[in-house]
Amino acid sequence: MTTVLTPASPLTAADRCDRCGAQAYLRVVLLSGGELLFCAHHGRKFEPELKKIAAEIQDETGRLAPGGASASDQER
């Protein structure tokens, strides 16, 4: 995933996944305008489709793992 290096605003516990309502760790800014929020699980599940329609993807899944690596970094 493409990671925004300087996000306008960090995701908080109040930001919820648009799919399941869990805490969001990914913000997807759409090419068409607007944004979607996803938990780490749904962000990984929909990653191929999201890459096609995203202008930017803010990935904060690194906050979930010890050492701060994002989910994308761990897959390499």
Side-chain angles (χ1 to χ4, degrees):
M1 288 188 177
T2 303
T3 303
V4 177
L5 298 177
T6 55
S9 60
L11 294 167
T12 69
D15 294 309
R16 310 312 286 180
C17 177
D18 289 325
R19 183 71 177 164
C20 70
Q23 184 172 347
Y25 288 93
L26 286 103
R27 174 181 284 128
V28 181
V29 179
L30 303 173
L31 291 170
S32 60
E35 68 180 27
L36 296 171
L37 300 176
F38 291 101
C39 63
H41 165 78
H42 284 112
R44 283 189 300 270
K45 180 176 180 180
F46 298 122
E47 179 180 6
E49 293 81 16
L50 292 173
K51 284 183 172 182
K52 296 175 187 175
I53 61 169
E56 294 180 352
I57 299 176
Q58 178 181 342
D59 182 356
E60 296 186 11
T61 56
R63 295 175 22 210
L64 295 170
S70 71
S72 299
D73 292 339
Q74 292 175 357
E75 293 174 2
R76 292 181 191 161

